[in-house]
Amino acid sequence: MTNKDISLRIRPAVPEDLPEIMRIIARAREFMASSGNPYQWINGYPQQELMKTEIEAGHCFVCVTPDGHPVASFCFIEGEDPNYARIERGHWLNDQPYSVLHRLASDGSFSGIFQLCLDWCSSRSHNIRVDTHHDNVILQRLLVKHDFIYCGIIYVANGTPRLAFQRCL
């Protein structure tokens, strides 16, 4: 049986998921570094304390196997992101209410995680924004493939620039 034969589901993360989420993030960080994106998640980002806060706020979700084993995680936040208040060298597609997809990570054991998460997010919001590091070419390609439009440059909390994308359905 291949992983395509197994149906994943998405559920809200709970505090007990934190060790698995951190394992998934570590694996994703290794993958990013090995695929030409070594600077996006540095200095332990995203830290365990941040992920704990995201779980408590109800922003963190996990993709789980039928037996409940987490294989991917992401944060989905409905409402304004302060990092998106200022955009340079471009503009947002609209000023309508939006949601943000952040910190998508997979342990690599299943393909199609981006599509699964995007479908889930799109069923909850028709206006989604995402940002990524300029070296994260893999995510940039996925975003363009799924009709996200490059909008410009935003800056995250540590002051580093990110490429900003938006999709309106």
Side-chain angles (χ1 to χ4, degrees):
M1 179 166 32
T2 68
N3 69 17
K4 291 182 182 196
D5 299 323
I6 298 173
S7 181
L8 299 177
R9 66 182 177 86
I10 295 174
R11 66 165 171 78
V14 296
E16 294 77 23
D17 292 323
L18 193 54
E20 282 299 301
I21 290 170
M22 297 314 296
R23 177 193 64 81
I24 291 164
I25 287 170
R27 177 61 191 104
R29 190 181 294 115
E30 291 169 3
F31 175 77
M32 286 193 300
S34 71
S35 60
N37 182 22
Y39 304 112
Q40 184 168 351
W41 285 1
I42 59 171
N43 301 324
Y45 179 88
Q47 296 84 356
Q48 184 168 320
E49 191 59 37
L50 171 61
M51 296 312 295
K52 180 181 177 203
T53 301
E54 294 286 32
I55 291 169
E56 291 168 353
H59 298 157
C60 188
F61 298 86
V62 288
C63 303
V64 297
T65 60
D67 66 358
H69 181 72
V71 296
S73 68
F74 64 97
C75 293
F76 180 72
I77 303 167
E78 297 178 81
E80 294 186 14
D81 184 319
N83 293 325
Y84 292 1
R86 187 176 127 238
I87 188 167
E88 295 180 354
R89 295 186 235 161
H91 62 280
W92 295 113
L93 301 179
N94 62 49
D95 293 325
Q96 301 299 313
Y98 62 90
S99 297
V100 181
L101 174 60
H102 277 309
R103 293 178 280 286
L104 175 61
S106 169
D107 68 6
S109 62
F110 283 81
S111 58
I113 295 294
F114 181 81
Q115 181 72 59
L116 176 69
C117 294
L118 183 58
D119 289 349
W120 186 92
C121 294
S122 296
S123 73
R124 285 149 180 81
S125 176
H126 296 292
N127 196 12
I128 300 173
R129 295 180 182 181
V130 178
D131 66 84
T132 191
H133 195 274
H134 67 84
D135 289 340
N136 195 340
V137 176
I138 292 171
L139 181 56
Q140 292 171 46
R141 286 183 186 144
L142 284 169
L143 291 168
V144 170
K145 177 182 175 182
H146 292 281
D147 301 321
F148 279 81
I149 305 297
Y150 172 75
C151 294
I153 306 288
I154 59 102
Y155 293 86
V156 294
N158 71 7
T160 58
R162 296 290 185 267
L163 305 178
F165 293 82
Q166 185 174 5
R167 182 175 94 164
C168 307
L169 296 177

